[in-house]
Structures are given as C-alpha cells and as structure tokens.
Amino acid sequence: LCFQSSEPPVNTNELLSFCLLSAPNKLRWKMPLLNKHKPWIETTYHGIVTENDDKVLLDPPLIALDKDAPLRYAESFEVTFTKEGEICGFRIHGQNVPFEAVVLDKSTGEGVIRAKDKLDCELQKEHTFTIQAYDCGEGPDGGNMKKSHKATVHIQVNDMNEYSPVFKEKSYKATVIEGKKYDSILKVEAVDADCSFQFSQICSYEIVTPDVPFTVDKDGNIKNTEKLNYSKERMYKLTVTAYDCGKNRASEDVLVKINIKPTCKPSWQGFNKRIEYEPGTGSLALFPSMHLETCEEPITSIQASIMLETNHIGKGCDRDTYSEKSLHKLCGASTGTVELLPAPSNSANWTVGLPTDNGHDSDQVFEFNGTQAIKVPEGVVSTTLKEPFTISVWMRHGPGSREKETILCNSDKTEMNRHHYSLYVHNCRLVLLLRQEPTESENYKPAEFHWKLDQVCDKEWHHYVLNIEFPAVTLFVDGATFEPFLVTEDYPLHASKIETQLTIGACWQDLSGHDNDTETLSETLTGGSALMTQYFRGNLAGLMIRSGKLENKKVIDCLYTCKEGLDVQLPEEVASAVKVEFNPNQSSLTLEGDDIESFEKVMQHISYLNSRQFPTPGIRHLRVTTTVKCFNEETCISVPDSEGYVMVLQPEEPKISLSGIDHFARGAAEFESTEGVTLFPELRIVSTITREVEVEVEAETEAEGEDDPTVQETVVSEEIMHNLDTCEVTVVGDELNGDHESLEVDLAQIQQRALEMSSSNVGMVITGVNTMANYEQVLHLIRYRNWHTEALFDRKFKLVCSELNGRYISNEFKVEVNVIHTANPMDHANNAMVQPQFINQVQHASVDLSGHNLANMHQSSVVPSAATIVIVVCVSFLVFMIILGVFRIRAAHQGTLRDQENGKENEMDWDDSALTITVNPMEVSEEEGDEEEEESEDGEEEDDITSAESDSSEDEGGEQEDQQGSSRQQQLEWDDSTY
C-alpha cells in the first residue's frame, strides 16, 4: 500500500504495515515497530577449550537469527534497521557455569563463549549447560522481548602436562633370601594427576642408584640381576624415579630398601588365610597357588593333613534343616516313621515348652537342662512296638553326674512304675532297656544292652541309630557299627492292664497315683510326690521311632552325610603319585607322596564344596599339618602348621510370595455340594531374590562421538526355584465346626506327590519336601465345604508356606469367601409390593447378592399368581416407555444436527451412546445455537492471530486446534447442563 500522507492509517490486524514516502532521488522504507518472531539458534553446540585459557572454539559458531530483521534490497533503497531485528544478548543456564556468552555483532547475531576464569581439567574434564538468545524487543524500552529455545552446549577441557608423577608410597621395603634370583621382588607404583590419558600414564621407571644388582621394568617390578649374598651385603638402598608419557620426571624419587635373609625357613607359601565362599558357586579351590618351601633340602616323603572344622555349624556340619521326618523320606526311608521332637505347630504342640537353639538357621535343636521333660500324647506312637523297630536320635552330651539320664522312656502311668523300654545315658555309656511283654515261658531274656562310647561324653553332635530285632540290637554311631559290650537279662513283664506313658528327657514315675497333663513338667508336685525322674542334661534333635522295619545302612549314611566338606579332583598325571584318604564326613583328608611337584599339584586341587542351595553362613577354620622326611627316613625339616578359614557368605534370602484371588463369592449350593468350593483356584507361588549388581553403562560422549563406559550399581530381582516343606491353611476367626463344615483335599493326589496332610479344627497342614509347582497343584485342590449355610455370610482363611523348617517363610495370603444366598421370587412377592426397591432387583436379574441372606425375609408370605402377573406387566410397560422416549429424543437430536451442519463451519459432535436419561431437546437446541454464534465470532477474531502468538489457547468447555494457513478451526464442546 502506498500513501501520500506521512501519517498513514494503521490496521492492527495486518502482519506488516509500511509507508512509502516520496523523495527527490530515492525511496525510503520505514520498518514497523513490531517484534513478532523469536530468535533462532542451533540445538546443540560442541566446544573445546584448553585449560588455563578462556577462548572456546565452538562448532557450529554461535550465531542467532531473527526473522524480524529486514532484508537488504537494491542499492537505490535506504534501509533503516530497527532494534526489533537485533540480538541483544545470550543467557547461560546452569549452576556454577564457569562460562559467559558475549554478543559480537547485534545486527548479525554473532556471539562467542569464553571462560570466566582459568579452567582446570583435573577438577572437571567436561562442562554441559544450556544457552538461550534474546532480541532487543520493541521500542526504546525494549518491550515484548523474545527468547529463543534453549540449546545444549558441551565443552571439553583439553589437558596440559602440568603435573609430575608421584609415588604412592613414601618408601618401599622387601625381604629376600640369599642365593636366589627372583622374577619380581617388589613393585613400585607412581601416579600422575593430569586428566588426559597421555599425560597421566607412567611410561617408564628408572633406578637412579648406580652399580646395584637390580633392574626395574616399565611396570615398576624390581628384580635382582644376580644371586645375592648375605655376607657381602645385608641391605640394599635404591633410589627409583618415574617418567610420564610427556617426559615429566617424578617430583620426588622414592627410596627402596631390600633386606637379605641368610637362611631359609621351610613353610607353605602362597596360602591365603581368608577364603570367601559364595553360595551356589560349586567347589572353591582352597590353595590354588600354594607351594612348599623346603629350602632345597632333599625330600623323600611328605605327609599332610587338612582339617576343616565344622563342629560349630548345625549338628556338626552343614546339613539340610528340614524336619527329621522329611529327611528320612528324602533319604529313601519307607513309611511308618514317627517324629517325637517335631517343630511346634498346631498339630504337634507337645514341644512348645522346650527351649530351642535358634542360632543354627532353623535347625530344630532342643535343650534339656535337667529339670524339663515332655510327655508324648497318646496315639502318636503305638502302645506296643512291633518288632523289628528302629530308634534314631541326634545327641550332644558332655560328662555328667553318675545318675541315669533318660533320653526316651515308656513306663506305667500309675501304680507299678515299670519301664517297658527306655534309652538312657549312664557314666558315658549308652544303654537300651527293652523288657519283653508277657509270654507263656518265664525264662530270662536279654533286657539291657550297654555300649561304652567316647562320643557320649565329648560334647559334640553325634547321630545314633538302633536297629532292634530281638534278641539282636545293632548300634550305628555316625554311620559306624558298634556291638554292645554288655548284655544283661531279665524276666518278661507280668501281664497288666495299666496304660503306659511315653516321655522324653526323663522317665514318668507316679508315686502318688496322680496324673498331670501339662506338656512341660517341673520336678516336683505340690505334696512332694515326684512325677519325673532321671532327667537328661544336653541337647537332642531328630528323635524318631520306626516300627515294623529296620533302617538300612544306605539311609543311615544319607542321614549323617554332610552337605559341606573337602573335595579333591586329582589330575591324571599325579593320581598315582599321591595317596588321598578322607574321613567319613569329608571334614579332613590325608595326603602322602614322595614327589614335591606332584604333591603341590594335588594341594592346589583341594577345594571346599557346599551343596546346599542356602548354606549356613559363617567361618570354617582350616588347618594344614605337614610332616617331611629325608633320605635317612627321619624328620629333617620342620614345617609349621598353616591356619586359615573359609568364610561362607550370607546367601541371598529368597522371598516367597503367594498371590491369587483373595476375595470371591459363591452360591450357597456350591458350599453344600460334595465338591465344595475351591479356596485357591488361581494360586501362584513365586520365589525371588534381590541382589546388587554392577552394570556397565555405555554413555555416548557427544564431544568425541565415542562410548564412555561407566559402572553403576543397580538392584535386580531374580526368580529362583527351590523346594517347600510346609504349607499351612488356617481358619481366620471361629474354628471349624466338624458337624457342618470341613476342609478337604484329594488324598490320592497328596500321596502321588509324596506329601502328607494333617488336619484339625483350626485348619490343614501339608508337609513334605517338594517343588513349588507340586505344592501349587495340591493347594489348588483344597476345598471348603459347609452343609448348613443358612446363617453363613463369609469365611476367611490364611495360607502360609515355608522352606527349610521355617527358615524362609512366605507372606500371609488371606482369602475371604462370601456366601451368596439366592431368593425365590415366588416366595417373596409380598416384599416386592411393599418395598419399591425390590422392583430393581426384578429388573436387573444379575444383582450381586454376595454377603446378604434373603432366605429369612418374610418366609411365611404367600402371594397369589394374579398379583405377580400385574407386577410383571407394570414393570414391562415402564421399561418400554423409557426405551421409546430415549429413541425419540435421539432421533430428534440427530435431525437437528443434520440441519445445522449444512450452514456452519464449526460442527458439534455428540456421543450419546452412554446416555440413558431423559433430557429436554428444546433446551439443548437453544444452547447449541448460542454456542455456535459464539464460535463464529471467536473464529473471525482468531483469523487475525498469527501461529506464533496462538501456540495454545483454551476456551471454557472446549478445545481448539490451530492449523497452518487458512485451515478451518474446529471446536468440540460438551454441554452438560441437562445431565
């Protein structure tokens, strides 16, 4: 547009206005005072700066562009630049950024980044921050200033070789034996503080001291160049320096002292005193670099004993801590085994009062202090044991008094106090008393079997198994057989109807005729009549009785075998040169040989092995005792004992998680059916361990385009598989009433998976060592039945599973089952007539009635069939009218929309698929018309708004979409005034 006036009209809706003024020889264009566009810069910059310098070389160069800057046209035009197109500055964002940005030319937007102070590469190699350009705004006051986007700047600081190498130690010392040449006596090490790889590396070491029989390599290893003589020189002092790869010498040289020893002491070399064993890693070599220093003495034979001390672990060593009954089954023992010292539980609670040793990772150990004993309930063990039978027990006992100490005793409950059978300790002897039952003949028969054993009083754990097949009795102690040294005879017992009492830790002896049912008994009763006698002092575990069959040697050895011990894999070339012998539990081994080299190879292959998935953590002491003989068959040199220990690290504890459906409802008929209701239909058992691992992360460095590996510690969770030994289902709330409810499971499926089940009025216990998958399958089969559900609304149960006799316990998985009581419409039509809300229940047949008992609501009401028909007809008519009204409203609404769509740009889409209410169509139409007029007015105003100024805008009740050019704006509004 061209105007003759100097004051042309201004239209604020135009993007650009100008005035053409006439002049004698030229035209003058005057730019408007508008600042519309933002400055523009690159998104990423990379720079390099040398430490101790401030100039930063950027790639690409720092230039900000602004579309508001006018373009230069022909030479005949005089262009007047205004500051709206100029770049006023750059702004750096970040904390403690040691850089600043300066504008060199406002009109071109050229700038530069420079350091505020001198940079130090050793403190920080790289700097990253963001930068933003801003223009000068509008008018003299700089209003409406625009900022560019933020760009990322990466600057790398180049290193200068300003530091010299420094030795890690102020001095070094070493001791060598004369007459030997060493590959390496000691190692000196220097470091350089420069940040770059070139200047921080040590390229060479040098011995400054002249004329010494030593040399040093580029890694700092010092060795002698000739055999040293103690008589010539007892100590050498060397001065060593270092050079980095930039030829800088160490700031200070280091002093190295090497002492010469005159004699040699025979000993095992290369033996680490602490050896860490990580669970689950298999065998671990104990002496991988071990060798024997014999001081060049001629050796003819070597004998060495390696002892692994495990007496303080569990019952003498690391074994599986399952229940004794489970261990017998794992070792192949047949059924019929009864556990007399079980872990306390709801089904076996007679050991609750006994103190236990809780320091052995759930290995069930009971302590008897000479004042405690327990009674075994009736029915646990048969009154008369069928021969043959087996008694097995773990026992730790020290030197005690001269009195008898009873382990197990079966005696008369009242009156006569006869001992039918018992196992006791007396004067470090193990004695079995076995009185024969009455027979026709009254001849003497063997009754007491005595074994004199050191193991009885050595305060160590031992495993005792007695196989009894009268008149023969065989004793196994730690798998070894012992015959009785003394057998005494006695008459068989006289016939009697007196019941017997089985006790552990003492013998029942009722002198007053009173009985006491307490589980843990004190020594005296009120009145002074003793009920218990011959108390035991020591520790017991795994007391078992197996009736009808003897235990075979294979099972006995399996029960005693340790899960940890020493092992050796002999190389073929030395297998015949060295003799190896193990003790039964592999806690010690003996080596014999005559070749030192072969002997050392065997020693290097000795390893520690723990086959448990979750071993007991702690220390196992090691001792190596060595005897060396020379040509004269006498001990020529003395090799001191070498001592160390194996540290078994704490295993990663598994987290056993139970999950599934924890709340559901079933009809009363299902509870009363023969199948019942399945409690855990979708139960899942998952076990995970959590561990910290180091992960190498490849972080790409943009300045160099290379991968910079960094190590980060992260926590990962891994799913593992292991066995379970117990799952217990407990009733929450009232106990089970056996008259009308029960927990059931398919016993055939239980036995098929080698599991056992016991139940009581508080729940059900499934025991046995088996996989988590098998336990899942069995738990899926547990059903709850209740054949009187009239007054039952819900029942709650709790499930807990464990591993290793309670060492690892799962979460408590609780299940709530609701009973749905259905109501018969024929029996409750009167309620429908009286209570309107019942109409909804007729209309919606799928209403959830869980937890509500409708069976007792006006049970005596009787409704005629005619009333029922009237109710059904009325409800049907009401539903029909509602559907018809909704249909007509939708049809009218859709017609209105079609009419409005033909003459308007903006359209309104209604989604009334979910509307089920009655609305006023006239009111909707009026509001739609008002809204459409407002949209038209808004649309005309918005046409004048540029895309830069209308990035995002919101109107009440709708959304706008701004498209490029003259594309139509659409607005979607929801009218909720009729909801």
Side-chain angles (χ1 to χ4, degrees):
L1 298 178
C2 181
F3 300 94
Q4 298 297 327
S5 144
S6 61
E7 297 291 334
V10 178
N11 187 345
T12 56
N13 293 328
E14 292 178 354
L15 296 177
L16 181 63
S17 64
F18 54 87
C19 181
L20 179 62
L21 301 179
S22 59
N25 298 320
K26 58 182 178 181
L27 294 176
R28 178 181 301 166
W29 294 82
K30 184 177 181 181
M31 303 304 297
L33 298 177
L34 291 180
N35 187 24
K36 173 160 179 27
H37 296 91
K38 298 178 181 179
W40 180 89
I41 58 176
E42 297 286 347
T43 58
T44 305
Y45 294 89
H46 297 273
I48 298 175
V49 60
T50 304
E51 64 177 350
N52 301 327
D53 192 7
D54 63 343
K55 187 177 181 181
V56 179
L57 297 179
L58 279 182
D59 181 25
L62 181 60
I63 298 177
L65 303 178
D66 196 326
K67 291 182 179 180
D68 294 322
L71 299 176
R72 287 183 174 84
Y73 293 100
E75 294 180 356
S76 60
F77 289 92
E78 175 183 330
V79 181
T80 302
F81 286 91
T82 60
K83 65 179 182 180
E84 288 77 34
E86 295 178 347
I87 304 300
C88 272
F90 298 90
R91 186 168 298 161
I92 291 178
H93 299 274
Q95 294 183 353
N96 301 324
V97 177
F99 296 94
E100 61 182 0
V102 179
V103 176
L104 298 181
D105 190 340
K106 291 185 177 182
S107 61
T108 62
E110 183 180 357
V112 67
I113 296 177
R114 61 192 180 193
K116 296 179 181 178
D117 299 310
K118 292 184 178 180
L119 301 175
D120 193 347
C121 176
E122 286 70 33
L123 295 179
Q124 189 170 352
K125 295 182 180 180
E126 294 181 353
H127 298 268
T128 300
F129 53 89
T130 58
I131 190 171
Q132 189 176 31
Y134 60 91
D135 59 21
C136 296
E138 298 175 357
D141 58 346
N144 194 21
M145 181 184 66
K146 301 290 185 179
K147 298 179 182 179
S148 71
H149 61 270
K150 293 181 179 180
T152 304
V153 181
H154 302 277
I155 296 179
Q156 177 180 339
V157 182
N158 285 347
D159 186 27
M160 296 180 63
N161 192 12
E162 55 187 344
Y163 292 97
S164 299
V166 177
F167 284 94
K168 287 187 174 182
E169 304 290 341
K170 293 183 179 180
S171 63
Y172 292 85
K173 295 180 181 180
T175 302
V176 297
I177 300 174
E178 65 175 347
K180 291 185 61 178
K181 290 187 65 175
Y182 293 85
D183 294 331
S184 177
I185 297 176
L186 60 87
K187 182 178 181 180
V188 296
E189 188 174 1
V191 294
D192 194 311
D194 285 308
C195 68
S196 65
F197 179 84
Q198 177 184 1
F199 299 137
S200 63
Q201 296 298 309
I202 307 300
C203 279
S204 63
Y205 294 87
E206 180 181 352
I207 297 178
V208 180
T209 307
D211 302 327
V212 290
F214 299 94
T215 184
V216 60
D217 60 16
K218 65 177 182 178
D219 296 324
N221 295 305
I222 297 177
K223 62 180 180 180
N224 55 324
T225 57
E226 62 185 38
K227 292 183 179 180
L228 305 177
N229 192 330
Y230 177 78
S231 59
K232 181 180 178 180
E233 191 70 46
R234 297 186 179 184
M235 184 179 68
Y236 289 91
K237 294 183 180 181
L238 313 176
T239 302
V240 180
T241 190
Y243 293 91
D244 64 17
C245 295
K247 303 300 182 179
N248 273 4
R249 180 172 173 171
S251 57
E252 292 184 6
D253 299 338
V254 71
L255 177 64
V256 179
K257 296 180 180 180
I258 300 177
N259 294 312
I260 313 301
K261 292 183 64 176
T263 58
C264 173
K265 291 184 178 180
S267 63
W268 287 104
Q269 304 291 328
F271 172 58
N272 294 327
K273 290 188 176 182
R274 176 186 172 94
I275 305 166
E276 292 187 354
Y277 179 80
E278 184 175 351
T281 57
S283 60
L284 173 67
L286 297 176
F287 321 111
S289 58
M290 197 174 191
H291 65 277
L292 181 62
E293 177 59 63
T294 61
C295 300
E296 299 183 357
E297 288 286 340
I299 303 301
T300 58
S301 66
I302 310 173
Q303 181 179 7
S305 297
I306 298 91
M307 297 290 297
L308 179 69
E309 297 180 8
T310 60
N311 294 335
H312 61 292
I313 303 296
K315 297 189 289 288
C317 65
D318 211 3
R319 297 183 176 89
D320 283 331
T321 56
Y322 294 116
S323 67
E324 199 67 23
K325 190 172 184 179
S326 297
L327 291 175
H328 275 71
K329 186 176 293 185
L330 287 175
C331 288
S334 57
T335 57
T337 303
V338 179
E339 189 172 4
L340 300 182
L341 284 176
S345 64
N346 293 328
S347 58
N349 58 0
W350 62 86
T351 59
V352 171
L354 284 178
T356 59
D357 185 354
N358 294 322
H360 295 294
D361 297 293
S362 299
D363 199 359
Q364 201 65 55
V365 174
F366 295 95
E367 180 181 354
F368 294 83
N369 57 11
T371 62
Q372 295 172 318
I374 59 173
K375 295 195 309 180
V376 179
E378 295 182 5
V380 176
V381 180
S382 175
T383 304
T384 58
L385 291 175
K386 296 180 180 180
E387 295 183 8
F389 66 93
T390 299
I391 299 176
S392 63
V393 66
W394 285 92
M395 181 178 69
R396 179 171 61 185
H397 182 265
S401 63
R402 296 180 178 273
E403 299 178 357
K404 295 180 179 180
E405 299 180 42
T406 301
I407 301 171
L408 178 69
C409 179
N410 187 36
S411 59
D412 290 340
K413 270 192 174 182
T414 58
E415 300 178 4
M416 303 181 70
N417 296 317
R418 298 174 301 173
H419 294 185
H420 293 252
Y421 63 86
S422 68
L423 181 65
Y424 62 90
V425 174
H426 188 210
N427 289 334
C428 295
R429 298 180 183 181
L430 185 67
V431 182
L432 172 67
L433 170 66
L434 182 61
R435 299 289 300 277
Q436 294 297 303
E437 296 299 322
T439 58
E440 295 181 359
S441 60
E442 296 293 332
N443 298 330
Y444 275 104
K445 292 185 178 180
E448 280 190 340
F449 302 84
H450 297 250
W451 292 271
K452 189 173 183 179
L453 304 169
D454 295 334
Q455 293 90 331
V456 173
C457 295
D458 63 359
K459 294 184 179 181
E460 301 290 345
W461 280 104
H462 298 284
H463 187 230
Y464 301 85
V465 179
L466 291 98
N467 276 342
I468 302 161
E469 190 172 16
F470 196 81
V473 178
T474 304
L475 172 67
F476 296 88
V477 181
D478 298 337
T481 306
F482 291 85
E483 296 295 333
F485 80 96
L486 176 64
V487 178
T488 60
E489 297 182 344
D490 201 348
Y491 283 108
L493 294 173
H494 297 288
S496 173
K497 296 183 180 180
I498 301 174
E499 295 182 353
T500 59
Q501 176 64 60
L502 183 62
T503 57
I504 301 172
C507 215
W508 181 266
Q509 189 168 352
D510 186 5
L511 301 180
S512 62
H514 298 287
D515 194 6
N516 192 332
D517 293 332
T518 56
E519 298 298 334
T520 304
L521 303 175
S522 59
E523 190 168 352
T524 59
L525 278 176
T526 304
S529 297
L531 288 179
M532 288 289 182
T533 185
Q534 302 175 4
Y535 284 93
F536 179 78
R537 293 175 178 84
N539 298 99
L540 297 176
L543 180 57
M544 307 284 292
I545 289 184
R546 184 182 181 191
S547 180
K549 193 172 183 181
L550 298 177
E551 207 72 273
N552 60 53
K553 185 67 166 58
K554 183 179 180 180
V555 174
I556 295 172
D557 291 340
C558 174
L559 293 172
Y560 175 69
T561 300
C562 295
K563 293 293 185 178
E564 66 175 339
L566 300 174
D567 191 19
V568 60
Q569 300 294 331
L570 293 178
E572 295 182 0
E573 63 272 14
V574 299
S576 59
V578 181
K579 181 181 179 182
V580 182
E581 292 183 354
F582 285 91
N583 69 334
N585 61 358
Q586 290 190 302
S587 62
S588 68
L589 62 87
T590 303
L591 305 180
E592 291 185 8
D594 52 11
D595 181 66
I596 295 180
E597 184 177 354
S598 300
F599 199 92
E600 289 177 346
K601 286 185 178 180
V602 175
M603 289 289 292
Q604 293 169 2
H605 284 79
I606 296 176
S607 60
Y608 168 80
L609 177 63
N610 194 317
S611 59
R612 294 189 64 190
Q613 188 176 7
F614 307 107
T616 303
I619 292 176
R620 279 77 164 164
H621 288 281
L622 273 174
R623 179 187 294 270
V624 180
T625 304
T626 309
T627 303
V628 179
K629 293 183 179 180
C630 299
F631 284 103
N632 54 6
E633 296 297 326
E634 295 181 358
T635 302
C636 53
I637 58 176
S638 177
V639 180
D641 293 350
S642 298
E643 297 183 356
Y645 60 92
V646 177
M647 171 59 75
V648 179
L649 302 179
Q650 180 74 36
E652 300 290 345
E653 295 192 1
K655 180 182 179 182
I656 306 173
S657 301
L658 309 180
S659 61
I661 301 176
D662 59 358
H663 193 178
F664 58 90
R666 295 291 185 271
E670 293 189 36
F671 289 90
E672 297 176 357
S673 66
T674 57
E675 296 298 327
V677 174
T678 302
L679 291 182
F680 314 106
E682 297 183 13
L683 178 71
R684 284 276 293 133
I685 304 177
V686 177
S687 183
T688 58
I689 59 174
T690 302
R691 66 178 64 182
E692 290 186 358
V693 297
E694 292 185 350
V695 179
E696 190 174 275
V697 180
E698 295 291 340
E700 184 174 348
T701 306
E702 298 185 7
E704 298 180 357
E706 299 178 354
D707 290 339
D708 183 17
T710 59
V711 177
Q712 297 180 355
E713 287 189 358
T714 182
V715 178
V716 297
S717 181
E718 299 177 2
E719 183 175 345
I720 62 171
M721 302 300 295
H722 58 78
N723 292 329
L724 298 176
D725 60 358
T726 304
C727 279
E728 184 173 2
V729 182
T730 309
V731 180
V732 178
D734 297 336
E735 296 181 353
L736 293 174
N737 189 335
D739 294 336
H740 63 267
E741 61 180 342
S742 66
L743 287 176
E744 300 178 359
V745 69
D746 190 349
L747 293 179
Q749 296 292 333
I750 294 282
Q751 296 172 356
Q752 181 179 349
R753 292 168 176 81
L755 297 174
E756 296 184 3
M757 184 274 293
S758 62
S759 60
S760 64
N761 58 350
V762 297
M764 176 185 295
V765 180
I766 300 175
T767 58
V769 180
N770 217 314
T771 62
M772 292 187 293
N774 281 337
Y775 264 94
E776 267 189 15
Q777 296 172 5
V778 170
L779 293 172
H780 288 167
L781 303 177
I782 295 180
R783 308 181 305 274
Y784 170 67
R785 290 187 60 204
N786 191 313
W787 44 94
H788 292 299
T789 60
E790 292 84 358
L792 181 65
F793 292 97
D794 57 59
R795 230 7 177 146
K796 298 178 181 179
F797 301 90
K798 178 179 66 176
L799 173 64
V800 177
C801 295
S802 64
E803 162 69 335
L804 292 175
N805 205 17
R807 180 177 177 184
Y808 303 116
I809 303 176
S810 73
N811 62 306
E812 292 185 354
F813 180 64
K814 295 182 179 180
V815 173
E816 180 177 350
V817 184
N818 296 115
V819 183
I820 301 177
H821 296 277
T822 57
N824 190 342
M826 294 295 295
D827 294 340
H828 303 287
N830 282 343
N831 293 338
M833 298 174 65
V834 176
Q835 301 176 2
Q837 64 268 22
F838 191 73
I839 295 176
N840 294 332
Q841 297 172 2
V842 176
Q843 181 178 353
H844 304 287
S846 61
V847 172
D848 187 6
L849 301 178
S850 61
H852 300 280
N853 189 347
L854 304 179
N856 56 2
M857 295 176 57
H858 305 281
Q859 294 182 0
S860 62
S861 300
V862 179
V863 180
S865 59
T868 304
I869 294 173
V870 171
I871 293 173
V872 173
V873 171
C874 291
V875 172
S876 302
F877 181 77
L878 177 61
V879 173
F880 173 77
M881 292 299 296
I882 292 174
I883 295 175
L884 179 60
V886 173
F887 177 79
R888 294 186 64 183
I889 291 170
R890 293 186 62 182
H893 179 65
Q894 291 175 358
T896 303
L897 290 179
R898 285 193 296 270
D899 295 337
Q900 295 171 351
E901 186 177 6
N902 296 329
K904 295 182 179 290
E905 283 186 356
N906 299 322
E907 64 180 5
M908 178 177 295
D909 296 333
W910 288 82
D911 183 9
D912 57 350
S913 59
L915 295 180
T916 58
I917 60 177
T918 304
V919 299
N920 188 344
M922 297 300 296
E923 183 180 353
V924 174
S925 300
E926 293 175 358
E927 293 187 1
E928 289 175 350
D930 295 338
E931 289 172 359
E932 290 168 355
E933 292 176 1
E934 293 177 0
E935 290 174 3
S936 300
E937 295 175 0
D938 293 340
E940 293 176 359
E941 294 179 358
E942 289 167 357
D943 288 339
D944 298 331
I945 300 175
T946 62
S947 60
E949 293 176 331
S950 58
D951 291 339
S952 62
S953 62
E954 296 182 359
D955 284 333
E956 187 175 358
E959 295 179 355
Q960 296 181 358
E961 294 181 1
D962 189 10
Q963 301 180 358
Q964 295 180 356
S966 60
S967 63
R968 184 177 60 184
Q969 297 181 2
Q970 296 181 354
Q971 185 177 18
L972 179 61
E973 295 188 359
W974 291 90
D975 184 11
D976 57 353
S977 61
T978 59
Y979 277 39

